[in-house]
Amino acid sequence: MKIYRNFIRAIAVVTAVSSITACSNFLDEEDESNFTTDTYFTTAAHAESAVNGAYEPLISITNSGFGGGTWMMLEFATGLANTSLGQATNIYLVKDLINNSDNGYGNSFWTGYYLGISRANLAIEKIPEINMDEALKQKYLAEAKFFRAYYYFGLVRMFGNIPIITNSVDLGSEQLYPEQSSPEAVYDLIVSDLTEAESAGLAWRVPSGRVSLGAVKTLLADVYLTMAGYPLQKTENYALAAAKAKEVMDSDQFALFDTYDELHDPATKNTGEYIFMTQFAAGIQSGNWQPGILPYNLGISAYSAQTGGIFSTNAFVDSYEVGDKRTEEKQFYFTSYSLEADRNSSVNLGAPYIFKHFDIEANEGSAQSDLNWCLYRYADVLLMYAEAANEAESGPSTEAYNAVNLVRDRAELAGLTGLSQDAFREAVRIERIHELSFENKTWYDMVRWRKAYNTETNVLEDFVGHNFSYLPNKALTARELLFPIPTSEMQNNPNLVQNTGY
């Protein structure tokens, strides 16, 4: 725990260091304000600091308040989320299919992820020059390459043709106004970075939450699976995705939690089912999405802000199979809760709110969340494997059934059996939608499948032409397969071309 909290503390302060160095300790003999990127990188501690900076942009994505929250963008784009926040413009732009390039969520993703890329680039560029332990050097480089791959993976799926920047950039750089690259070129860089990171000697698990071999291989499995779908349709990558997911499974380092309560228990962070997470610690860098998942001012929480920013549509929760444990009260969702003023009394929330992200201790007491935000967990790997193996092997194998049925067993559902390739594909995809709900996975899946989930019929239908349950008279079009490049980026870089329809 001490190692974990020290890591969080390092991330929390890393961005502040550069801004205060020049004005602190001004009587020191050495003027630290003279440090530049050419003179700073001289020790192993500098290498660690550079890599820590690449973790930090993950934090801001989870921010939630009365304006909504950046992470919510990917959930409202699925048509499975609702909100009580009338003033949250960014939410309604996405939710009601009227999105435009002024959306602050899209801008936050773009700027945050490119900030992460710039920090990873600087680490990759400067760490090789440092005289330090070679094994440790390679691990830090692997972490930086993981993050460059992770951030590009998010950007290429959200925005399509994006600039590739692999060097540090200043006002004199040729890449100051970069041109866009094809998605295929971006994926080539992602795969290259991750395959190099695989061979760097990382441990399968890292208790502090730093990048691990399990995280690298899981991300690579996700990348291969995405490349096999739209827009690249490199179907040979299904076999690569299945093989990489199987490596994670065969490592025996990860396992499903026995209960869903463990998915939002701070004591389980970086253990068991969790493969990679954004790190938070109460009192240092608290998890900051709680206000967004609380019902609007119903008085159930110690948080002063209770915004009603996001909750599930009734139609989506109703679409789960009868008897699915995930829909039982206070499993994945909750519809009532005790009052902060009197824990012996409860209130009906009026809708199914998201319990899998709910920090009980913080809401009932401290208003300081110690939960981490999950980026990858083992259930995702099992479902990746089942989906990819079904495609690679022209039908479901025993191992593919075993993988998906582990997820279904925990939900107290009957195992899948005796299905054709097409029926198994549909079943696994719907299982992903139900199991990984509100974890920023479903919209990415919809885009690579070119399919959207009809909650009324319990089938996947063509993405283009699909109607959200609450928006029956307005259908998805091809433009919703991407988000618009932010207005500020279009204005700052004359070499950018806006995505079609925006």
Side-chain angles (χ1 to χ4, degrees):
M1 181 61 71
K2 182 178 179 181
I3 294 173
Y4 166 80
R5 287 185 174 271
N6 285 343
F7 177 42
I8 299 302
R9 197 181 302 276
I11 295 173
V13 304
V14 70
T15 55
V17 170
S18 60
S19 64
I20 65 173
T21 298
C23 58
S24 65
N25 300 325
F26 62 91
L27 294 179
D28 288 353
E29 182 176 346
E30 181 179 13
D31 182 4
E32 294 180 348
S33 66
N34 289 327
F35 279 135
T36 68
T37 56
D38 292 327
T39 61
Y40 176 75
F41 292 93
T42 58
T43 70
H46 296 159
E48 181 181 21
S49 178
V51 174
N52 285 349
Y55 285 81
E56 190 273 337
L58 296 174
I59 294 172
S60 62
I61 298 301
T62 63
N63 283 332
S64 299
F66 276 103
T70 299
W71 67 275
M72 297 178 187
M73 180 178 86
L74 298 178
E75 298 305 330
F76 286 105
T78 68
L80 305 176
N82 207 341
T83 186
S84 297
L85 267 179
Q87 73 270 40
T89 302
N90 293 328
I91 285 177
Y92 286 96
L93 288 174
V94 178
K95 177 179 178 289
D96 293 342
L97 304 182
I98 54 174
N99 200 17
N100 61 51
S101 60
D102 292 328
N103 192 319
Y105 291 165
N107 184 70
S108 294
F109 268 113
W110 181 284
T111 57
Y113 278 23
Y114 268 113
L115 175 62
I117 289 166
S118 71
R119 291 177 176 176
N121 284 341
L122 188 63
I124 293 166
E125 187 176 293
K126 297 299 183 180
I127 289 175
E129 303 170 0
I130 299 176
N131 183 15
M132 59 181 290
D133 177 79
E134 187 62 28
L136 185 58
K137 177 187 288 187
Q138 293 307 313
K139 290 180 180 179
Y140 284 145
L141 286 171
E143 289 183 59
K145 289 175 182 177
F146 169 90
F147 275 113
R148 184 164 70 180
Y150 178 84
Y151 291 129
Y152 269 124
F153 188 40
L155 288 169
V156 72
R157 289 179 293 169
M158 282 187 272
F159 300 105
N161 297 330
I162 58 171
I164 294 177
I165 304 171
T166 56
N167 300 308
S168 56
V169 176
D170 57 34
L171 292 177
S173 299
E174 292 182 2
Q175 289 188 309
L176 191 59
Y177 301 107
E179 296 183 351
Q180 290 154 286
S181 298
S182 68
E184 186 164 10
V186 179
Y187 278 105
D188 286 345
L189 173 63
I190 292 169
V191 171
S192 175
D193 276 348
L194 291 176
T195 52
E196 289 179 18
E198 271 190 299
S199 60
L202 294 170
W204 270 101
R205 269 195 182 278
V206 183
S208 68
R210 298 192 78 95
V211 174
S212 66
L213 184 59
V216 173
K217 288 183 180 290
T218 298
L219 177 56
L220 189 51
D222 197 6
V223 169
Y224 283 142
L225 187 59
T226 301
M227 294 173 72
Y230 291 93
L232 298 188
Q233 294 184 278
K234 292 181 175 291
T235 55
E236 66 274 16
N237 281 14
Y238 281 122
L240 297 175
K244 201 57 60 179
K246 192 66 162 54
E247 289 179 36
V248 178
M249 295 159 61
D250 290 344
S251 73
D252 293 326
Q253 296 292 316
F254 310 97
L256 296 180
F257 290 129
D258 292 332
T259 69
Y260 296 125
D261 289 339
E262 292 165 280
L263 288 176
H264 56 106
D265 182 352
T268 67
K269 59 177 63 176
N270 306 325
T271 69
E273 186 167 344
Y274 287 128
I275 297 174
F276 192 62
M277 313 181 80
T278 303
Q279 304 297 308
F280 293 97
I284 300 173
Q285 179 69 62
S286 298
N288 45 18
W289 60 88
Q290 294 300 309
I293 64 170
L294 298 174
Y296 184 75
N297 287 347
L298 288 184
I300 71 168
S301 172
Y303 282 91
S304 58
Q306 300 173 47
T307 74
I310 189 169
F311 51 90
S312 174
T313 63
N314 287 311
F316 178 56
V317 172
D318 290 345
S319 73
Y320 284 70
E321 292 177 51
V322 174
D324 193 322
K325 187 174 181 64
R326 291 169 293 199
T327 62
E328 291 182 7
E329 183 70 10
K330 293 184 175 65
Q331 298 298 315
F332 273 19
Y333 310 98
F334 68 121
T335 59
S336 67
Y337 206 76
S338 62
L339 293 170
E340 198 269 337
D342 179 7
R343 290 299 175 194
N344 294 316
S345 299
S346 62
V347 62
N348 188 308
L349 309 182
Y353 281 80
I354 306 165
F355 203 64
K356 64 159 71 172
H357 296 321
F358 187 86
D359 187 333
I360 295 173
E361 182 177 346
N363 280 288
E364 294 190 0
S366 67
Q368 289 281 316
S369 179
D370 203 43
L371 283 180
N372 283 352
W373 179 266
C374 178
L375 299 175
Y376 282 108
R377 59 186 177 95
Y378 190 57
D380 195 355
V381 172
L382 292 171
L383 296 172
M384 282 190 228
Y385 174 77
E387 180 184 353
N390 181 56
E391 303 299 336
E393 300 171 20
S394 300
S397 63
T398 298
E399 287 186 316
Y401 274 117
N402 290 342
V404 65
N405 285 339
L406 281 173
V407 177
R408 291 179 61 83
D409 286 347
R410 183 170 61 174
E412 300 182 359
L413 295 173
L416 302 179
T417 185
L419 300 179
S420 66
Q421 182 184 25
D422 289 347
F424 187 83
R425 177 189 302 121
E426 182 95 349
V428 170
R429 287 176 172 181
I430 292 174
E431 198 66 46
R432 282 188 63 84
I433 292 171
H434 286 151
E435 174 66 24
L436 302 175
S437 62
F438 299 97
E439 296 183 39
N440 279 186
K441 303 289 182 178
T442 301
W443 181 78
Y444 290 135
D445 284 342
M446 289 167 57
V447 170
R448 68 181 176 86
W449 298 333
R450 293 295 193 265
K451 297 288 184 179
Y453 182 50
N454 187 318
T455 56
E456 301 297 328
T457 62
N458 192 40
V459 300
L460 293 165
E461 56 194 28
D462 288 344
F463 183 100
V464 175
H466 172 75
N467 296 102
F468 293 163
S469 63
Y470 58 81
L471 207 62
N473 298 318
K474 190 169 188 178
L476 288 169
T477 67
R479 89 167 198 148
E480 277 81 41
L481 293 166
L482 293 171
F483 290 100
I485 297 172
T487 298
S488 58
E489 299 301 321
M490 295 296 300
Q491 292 173 340
N492 291 336
N493 185 354
N495 291 322
L496 296 181
V497 177
Q498 183 60 273
N499 289 324
T500 301
Y502 295 105

